[in-house]
């Protein structure tokens, strides 16, 4: 039998996934001791494996989201997705599906190309801004790479690598030159699942700082004296990148 025919007859592995940013309190609730009773997995806490039992799945979603998204007999992903849509402060990045074969890499990219200058030359006159002479590009957005391996016992080994690259702003280098600043968050894990089980990965966090100013009208605008009638606080919001992947084996018909 030829290699091409063997590859064609091999079972396909379909992977359903969700990439989402959750406020830190929700992620802590998901990894708390109360949830661990109905989760099968191993340390570290950033790696959870959900049972295939739908009653356990419903109990988990209820515990994580306060009863939002529960549905009798409903599959885990639709229930979890509805809970995300109803919860404030949640940012759904992507929900791709991928189909591949054992030991073949599948990759989903939801990105945009960001072009920027990397080299300049002085302007025609002394005080003119410098002129770009070379440009490059970097993709920003979400990338999810998964390599499944079908094991002899029928389980599926997964190598999962989600990554988020964000543009944070420019750094002024003088003479009109600006250097872009990027942030990169990446989680990598190897897990073994049964067909239909869900792995939940998290731990890559980012911080958003918000400056909140509160002042008394009119009095707060008075020079010097206005400081007595105004306040300024910095609020730090931490968010975690969370990835869910459910692989399923689909045997090819002969």
């Amino acid at each position: 039998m030829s290699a091409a025919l063997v590859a064609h007859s091999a079972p396909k592995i379909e992977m359903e996934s969700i990439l989402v940013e959750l406020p830190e309190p929700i992620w802590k609730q998901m990894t708390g001791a109360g949830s661990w009773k109905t989760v099968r997995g191993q340390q570290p806490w950033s790696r959870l494996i959900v049972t295939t039992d739908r009653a356990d799945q419903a109990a988990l979603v209820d515990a994580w989201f306060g009863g939002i998204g529960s549905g009798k007999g409903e599959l885990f992903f639709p229930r979890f997705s509805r809970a995300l849509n109803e919860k404030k402060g949640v940012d759904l990045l992507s929900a791709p599906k991928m189909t591949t074969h054992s030991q073949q890499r599948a990759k989903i990219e939801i990105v945009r190309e960001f072009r920027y200058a990397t080299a300049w030359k002085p302007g025609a006159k002394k005080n003119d801004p410098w002129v770009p002479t070379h440009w490059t590009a970097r993709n920003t957005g979400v990338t999810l790479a998964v390599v499944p391996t079908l094991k002899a016992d029928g389980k599926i080994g997964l190598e999962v690598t989600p990554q988020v690259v964000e543009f944070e702003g420019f750094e002024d280098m003088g003479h009109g030159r600006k250097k872009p600043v990027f942030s990169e968050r990446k989680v990598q894990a190897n897990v073994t699942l049964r067909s239909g089980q869900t792995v939940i990965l998290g731990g890559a966090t980012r911080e958003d700082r918000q400056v909140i100013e509160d002042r008394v009208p009119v009095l707060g605008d008075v020079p010097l004296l206005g400081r007595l009638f105004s306040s300024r606080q910095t609020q730090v919001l931490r968010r975690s990148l969370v990835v869910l992947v459910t692989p399923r084996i689909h045997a090819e018909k002969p």
Side-chain angles (χ1 to χ4, degrees), residues 222-243:
V222 177
L224 299 180
L225 191 62
R227 297 178 183 177
L228 300 176
F229 300 94
S230 62
S231 63
R232 182 186 179 102
Q233 297 180 348
T234 301
Q235 186 177 25
V236 179
L237 302 176
R238 292 183 176 86
R239 303 173 68 81
S240 294
L241 171 64
V242 178
V243 178

Side-chain angles (χ1 to χ4, degrees), residues 94-128:
S94 176
K97 284 187 178 182
M98 300 172 281
T99 302
T100 185
H101 290 90
S102 180
Q103 298 183 339
Q104 291 187 357
R105 187 170 186 258
K107 187 177 182 181
I108 290 288
E109 290 184 309
I110 304 174
V111 298
R112 60 184 302 178
E113 187 179 77
F114 187 95
R115 290 181 55 82
Y116 57 96
T118 55
W120 299 262
K121 66 179 182 180
K125 297 180 180 180
K126 182 178 179 180
N127 294 325
D128 284 352

